[in-house]
Amino acid sequence: MKHYIIVKFVEGTDVAALLEPVRAIFEETLSIPGVHGVVLKRSNSDRANRYDLMIEMDMDREALPAYDACEPHLRWKRDYGAVVAKKAIFDCD
């Protein structure tokens, strides 16, 4: 399945500076059995009503609970939660 995390950061956040540290965190999830790939895409639009970042994960449906409980996921939420204004989570086949 595809697991998408679509993020709108707090206004004034340096999104470019966050890309590599966030990418490094999510690449750690590749060690979870059933997580097959991670791709980060930054928005190419700076319009106020656009989200800033899309994290696309390719994983087996059964890997989702392990991902939810894993240290990198918890670190993402802990370290970057304060600069996330909004996020949408979307899963699909």
Side-chain angles (χ1 to χ4, degrees):
M1 77 173 198
K2 297 291 187 179
H3 176 74
Y4 295 95
I5 306 163
I6 305 168
V7 182
K8 173 79 170 168
F9 289 107
V10 172
E11 188 174 335
T13 300
D14 184 352
V15 177
L18 296 181
L19 285 179
E20 289 312 310
V22 170
R23 184 183 320 277
I25 288 173
F26 278 91
E27 285 181 353
E28 290 180 39
T29 67
L30 294 170
S31 66
I32 299 169
V35 176
H36 308 293
V38 175
V39 176
L40 274 69
K41 296 183 180 182
R42 184 175 175 196
S43 176
N44 63 4
S45 174
D46 61 359
R47 293 182 179 193
N49 66 340
R50 301 293 195 264
Y51 280 60
D52 300 302
L53 179 68
M54 182 174 72
I55 303 162
E56 176 187 324
M57 300 181 72
D58 181 23
M59 68 173 70
D60 298 337
R61 184 180 303 272
E62 297 77 23
L64 190 57
Y67 162 72
D68 284 341
C70 78
E71 194 279 332
H73 180 236
L74 298 175
R75 187 172 359 122
W76 152 249
K77 292 171 69 172
R78 180 188 67 233
D79 292 355
Y80 294 95
V83 293
V84 172
K86 298 188 252 183
K87 70 179 177 178
I89 309 297
F90 184 80
D91 297 326
C92 61
D93 291 324

